[in-house]
Each structure stands twice: as structure tokens, then as C-alpha cells.
Amino acid sequence: MRGLTKKQGHKHAVILILRDAFIIIAVSAAAACVVNFFRSDSLPWIAARDYEVLVPCPEPMGEATAVDIGDFDGIGIRDLLIDARGRADYDNWHRPDSIHIAFDYLEPLSDEAVGRIALTKAQRIIVAGDGGDPDSGEQLAREIAGKGIKNVYFIVGGMAALKNSGQ
């Protein structure tokens, strides 16, 4: 770059960087096309349908049985009632025979919480949440069932339905 002014040298350097970037992009795109051509399950050039990008991460969710409060036979001595609402709602009102495990949509159920549930050796695990849509109780119940714990139920309508029923 001898004989060029500082401004011309800078312009020349920018042109070289852009040229190199274009070459890298072109070679990478060509390599991707060749690899895709030889794949047995090649990716389509044009998507057949829109991709869902704002979906929750797949979590191993199990099956939990919904219990309508009208059909609910109450909490037995061998049952475990889990309150899945947030701390503020739990502190405001909760049944004295319930334990608090708040459901968090972003944080998976901890192994410590699963161990705590398993140690109770309860015949039924009954989860009651906020009763919203989606219901935190249903989500927590499905997550508990997905961790291998059997006989997991959730109360439709959550703790509010349980409180209003007088049980």
C-alpha cells in the first residue's frame, strides 16, 4: 500500500475485508447446498408451513388426572396436597395440610422437590394451582408425573375452587 494516502489505504483495507467476507459467505453457502443435496432427509428450499418460533421448550410432561371440585372426595390422610401458586398467594391463604411448591414456567421442578414428594409415600398427589389458563396446578401436576411419580391429580379451578367448596 505504498504510495497511497492514509484515507486511500483505509478505503483499500475496507474493500479487502468486504471481498473476503463475500468469499467466505459464498463458499459457506455452496458447501451447505452440496451437503443438503446429499442428505437423505434434506431440508426443503421453501418451507411448506410457517415455523413456530415462540413455543415453550419441550419438557417431559406426564399425564395427570383432572378432578372437578364437584366430584372431589376430599383430602385423605394418605394424600399429599401441593399448593402450586406463587408465594404471595400461598401466604395470603392456604390449607394447613398443604405443602408449597410454586410452579415456575421457566424453571423446571428441582430434584430436591421431587425427592420431597416421593418421601411422603402418599397414595395420591393432589395439586392445586391458581386456576388460570394455563393453570399452574395442572402444569405442576404434569411435571411431577413426568418425573415418574404415579397417581398425580390436579383440581380444576385450583385453590380458589377448593376454598369455595368448603373442603
Side-chain angles (χ1 to χ4, degrees), residues 47-126:
R49 60 178 172 74
D50 289 338
Y51 292 106
E52 293 184 37
V53 293
L54 298 175
V55 295
C57 295
E59 293 290 331
M61 298 295 238
E63 292 296 320
T65 305
V67 177
D68 191 291
I69 198 68
D71 300 329
F72 187 57
D73 59 354
I75 309 291
I77 193 164
R78 306 243 330 150
D79 296 335
L80 174 65
L81 176 62
I82 299 174
D83 191 327
R85 299 175 301 159
R87 172 57 68 183
D89 290 331
Y90 179 80
D91 288 343
N92 186 37
W93 178 86
H94 64 274
R95 286 182 48 130
D97 58 347
S98 68
I99 66 168
H100 183 244
I101 300 176
F103 177 73
D104 187 340
Y105 288 94
L106 301 177
E107 188 74 27
L109 187 63
S110 70
D111 291 339
E112 181 240 333
V114 174
R116 202 167 111 201
I117 294 167
L119 284 175
T120 66
K121 299 186 187 284
Q123 283 184 338
R124 292 189 307 175
I125 309 297
I126 303 166

Side-chain angles (χ1 to χ4, degrees), residues 30-45:
C33 291
V34 169
V35 168
N36 192 43
F37 179 76
F38 288 107
R39 282 178 55 150
S40 61
D41 59 339
S42 64
L43 301 172
W45 290 101

Side-chain angles (χ1 to χ4, degrees), residues 2-48:
R2 200 179 309 209
L4 296 177
T5 65
K6 192 173 184 179
K7 187 174 183 181
Q8 289 173 327
H10 179 70
K11 184 177 179 182
H12 183 69
V14 169
I15 290 171
L16 290 177
I17 291 171
L18 290 174
R19 181 202 66 190
D20 292 349
F22 177 77
I23 291 170
I24 290 171
I25 290 170
V27 169
S28 298
C33 291
V34 169
V35 168
N36 192 43
F37 179 76
F38 288 107
R39 282 178 55 150
S40 61
D41 59 339
S42 64
L43 301 172
W45 290 101
I46 299 172

